[in-house]
Amino acid sequence: AQSVTQLGSHVSVSEGALVLLRCNYSSSVPPYLFWYVQYPNQGLQLLLKYTTGATLVKGINGFEAEFKKSETSFHLTKPSAHMSDAAEYFCAVMNPNFGNEKLTFGTGTRLTIIP
Amino acid sequence: NAGVTQTPKFRVLKTGQSMTLLCAQDMNHEYMYWYRQDPGMGLRLIHYSVGEGTTAKGEVPDGYNVSRLKKQNFLLGLESAAPSQTSVYFCASSYGRGGRINEQFFGPGTRLTVL
């Protein structure tokens, strides 16, 4: 079975400060990992994904994440927060061997940006 | 392209009533999914389909039925609604072809309240 743990259901950062959202996973096989963002009253939008290859993955809106197998982590970062980054962020894991592309989501982290 | 669309956007039911949520995608995706989103619980998979005419249970299938009669449509049914089914429902689809990992595209959601 696979699972995702997102530490911190709410994170607040000042505008211009570093954003760090934490995600740890559990998987019996090398997983594929995803970060999705959800703006208020909208569906989810893919920020970035890791499948194979380079462990530092860059996504949209200046976000990036690093896959660290030894730490079973896939933390999301952005060097400088912008007011428009306020949203809920979900980390998700996929077992590539299942062939059905099912995602298991974490419980989400709500990011608040302080002006 | 409209992407993934969901009908209706909002619905209020009384306990015991039935309804069907419609999901449509115009991206010729093979795989489709139904999730529910509840506060503090992230997204949980209800049912999914890996092709026309096929469906499978997800993490929380009880009380729901689905059908995939056409490739572009995925219907979620509640035969006898219960207050515990008050939630936001999201449909998603993905390309589903082997050899590459495909992101899921999400609809805007349906907010369902069961009184």
Side-chain angles (χ1 to χ4, degrees), chain B residues 83-111:
Chain B
S84 60
Q85 294 178 303
T86 294
S87 187
V88 181
Y89 292 86
F90 287 99
C91 177
S93 70
S94 64
Y95 188 53
R97 295 288 185 226
R100 49 177 287 194
I101 293 302
N102 305 288
E103 69 174 279
Q104 290 185 17
F105 292 82
F106 283 79
T110 294
R111 187 173 296 274

Side-chain angles (χ1 to χ4, degrees), chain A residues 34-56:
Chain A
F34 303 77
W35 275 101
Y36 280 84
V37 60
Q38 184 181 31
Y39 298 103
N41 299 314
Q42 294 186 25
L44 278 69
Q45 177 184 359
L46 182 68
L47 270 180
L48 50 80
K49 65 181 179 184
Y50 168 78
T51 55
T52 57
T55 56
L56 182 62

Side-chain angles (χ1 to χ4, degrees), chain A:
Chain A
Q2 56 199 32
S3 64
V4 171
T5 301
Q6 291 185 241
L7 295 176
S9 58
H10 292 84
V11 171
S12 296
V13 301
S14 298
E15 191 175 14
L18 172 72
V19 175
L20 171 60
L21 304 182
R22 299 180 186 274
C23 172
N24 288 88
Y25 69 89
S26 172
S27 177
S28 56
V29 300
Y32 293 155
L33 295 159
F34 303 77
W35 275 101
Y36 280 84
V37 60
Q38 184 181 31
Y39 298 103
N41 299 314
Q42 294 186 25
L44 278 69
Q45 177 184 359
L46 182 68
L47 270 180
L48 50 80
K49 65 181 179 184
Y50 168 78
T51 55
T52 57
T55 56
L56 182 62
V57 181
K58 295 186 184 299
I60 62 172
N61 301 336
F63 284 93
E64 61 182 37
E66 186 171 11
F67 170 62
K68 292 188 176 180
K69 184 178 179 181
S70 61
E71 299 178 7
T72 61
S73 69
F74 191 57
H75 301 330
L76 183 70
T77 60
K78 181 175 181 178
S80 177
H82 191 272
M83 295 300 295
S84 61
D85 295 328
E88 189 154 22
Y89 293 79
F90 293 93
C91 183
V93 62
M94 177 194 295
N95 184 326
N97 296 334
F98 285 166
N100 54 26
E101 301 185 348
K102 283 168 48 180
L103 291 172
T104 300
F105 285 88
T107 53
T109 297
R110 185 170 299 278
L111 177 64
T112 300
I113 310 299
I114 303 167

Side-chain angles (χ1 to χ4, degrees), chain B residues 43-103:
Chain B
L43 278 78
R44 293 179 293 168
L45 183 64
I46 305 171
H47 287 280
Y48 65 99
S49 168
V50 297
E52 183 178 322
T54 70
T55 63
K57 294 181 180 180
E59 181 185 354
V60 288
D62 294 342
Y64 305 95
N65 57 75
V66 289
S67 64
R68 183 99 181 268
L69 299 179
K70 294 183 178 180
K71 184 177 182 178
Q72 63 268 32
N73 295 337
F74 195 29
L75 278 64
L76 178 71
L78 287 73
E79 291 186 347
S80 179
S84 60
Q85 294 178 303
T86 294
S87 187
V88 181
Y89 292 86
F90 287 99
C91 177
S93 70
S94 64
Y95 188 53
R97 295 288 185 226
R100 49 177 287 194
I101 293 302
N102 305 288
E103 69 174 279

